[in-house]
Amino acid sequence: MNEYLNREAQEGGDHPLVHPAGAAQALAIPRSQADRMFLVAETQGVLSPQQVDGSRRLLTTSPPSTPILTAGGSRG
C-alpha cells in the first residue's frame, strides 16, 4: 500500500485524491481489503477522512511509523 500511495503522490501533485477502488485494482486485492487499509492509513495521518465519493486526499508522502498491512499480513 505504501508503494501505491508514494506512486500516487509523485504522479498527483499537491495532495492528490486516491480511491480504494483504484488501489484495489492496482494492488490486485479485494475492495474490502483496500477499504480497511485506507482506514489504517487515515489513523496514521497519511490519508484524509473519506469524501462523499469514497476518495481521500493524500496528506503526506512520509512513510507511516507502522507499515500498512497488505494481503496475507505482508507489509506493503
Side-chain angles (χ1 to χ4, degrees), residues 1 33 36-37 40 44 66-76:
M1 177 61 83
Q33 184 174 356
R36 288 189 303 272
M37 292 167 70
V40 170
Q44 294 176 337
T66 306
I68 301 167
L69 296 179
T70 59
S74 63
R75 296 172 189 260

Side-chain angles (χ1 to χ4, degrees), residues 25-71:
Q25 183 176 12
L27 298 171
I29 59 173
R31 165 74 188 266
S32 59
Q33 184 174 356
D35 285 329
R36 288 189 303 272
M37 292 167 70
F38 271 44
L39 285 174
V40 170
E42 179 184 342
T43 63
Q44 294 176 337
V46 176
L47 296 176
S48 71
Q50 183 174 331
Q51 306 293 312
V52 175
D53 67 355
S55 65
R56 296 169 184 263
R57 288 212 179 274
L58 186 57
L59 300 176
T60 181
T61 57
S62 305
S65 57
T66 306
I68 301 167
L69 296 179
T70 59

